Amino acid sequence: MRIGFIGLGNMGGPMAANLAAAGHEVRGFDLAQPCPEGVAAAASAAGAAAGAEVVVTMLPSGGALRAVAAEVIPAMAPGAVLCDCSTVDVASARDVATDATAAGLGALDAPVSGGVGGATAGTLTFMVGGRKADVERVRPLFDIMGARAVHCGAAGAGQAAKICNNMILGVTMIATCEAFALAGKLGLDPARLYDVVSTASGQSWSTTSYCPVPAVGPASPADNDYRPGFAAELMLKDLGLAKEAAEMAGADTPAGTLAAELYRRFVEEEDGRGRDFSAMYPRFAARGRTGA
Ligand code: NAD
């Protein structure tokens, strides 16, 4: 397949490289990054998109997506599919899909989970919004870049699934970190709390797959000095998008809003930037009840 790939950063670079390694003809463009091996460099986003059957975008924000979409939609051949894999706000995803559809193109929002490790290994999970026919056309590419692609519904449903999942993750990670810090202050060995929680009703992915306490549970960023993994500022971004979506939909999400505020403080006012999002555990462990 002929593919245009725009946004070749930490995630997009290895995703584009995997498509090229699988034998597809990939033309890439990024404002700042070089093309990975096997990907031909285009001079512009429109140049990467012209003549492509599928254009994949992997960009930092809804603003960047809107700017790139305005450039590539007129350059794309009728019937081609614009597949955005960035994590962006639901409104940008829906607006771009509307513009692409009006221009006779297919459009998918297909944000991912799995991080840079998943992008490199080709084991990402895609959460996809858009028409079924477009999902099926792009599925062979999802199968190369990822291990699983779930069709979540109409345009915007992929972004909705992504931010709802990550709101659960952010809230449960904070609850897990503060509970393990409380356990320590009660004189309870965190390894014993792990034994209980991992098979009891407090169980979640944050405990059993990504325990935030060093040397407890399976290996996780806590065992690597909290090097990411999934950086706290990326969690802050996703919780901000969840908050924005809740405001748009008139939904009451107090725990999600509090999690966003705690991660904002952690990243902007404490030492959280560049650390894994599970570094909330040493934060809580070091603090007393009044925050001191
Ligand atoms: P990144 O900053 O490394 O890459 C984004 C790239 O987009 C940059 O290289 C930048 O130069 C390029 N870019 C920006 N505007 C552009 C434009 N107008 N035209 C062309 N290129 C442009 O970010 P990343 O870590 O690769 O993340 C990409 C997306 O994936 C984000 O939306 C992020 O939230 C999401 N995501 C990231 C992770 C992760 O672990 N890094 C995990 C899941 C989802």
Side-chain angles (χ1 to χ4, degrees), residues 6-12 29-33 58-60 64 68 85-87 112 115-116 162 230 234 237-238:
I6 298 152
L8 301 165
N10 292 319
M11 297 290 290
F29 177 74
D30 190 294
L31 287 180
Q33 296 297 325
M58 196 51 170
L59 297 160
V68 167
C85 295
S86 330
T87 303
V112 303
V116 177
K162 163 90 187 176
F230 186 50
L234 290 176
K237 172 189 172 179
D238 292 357

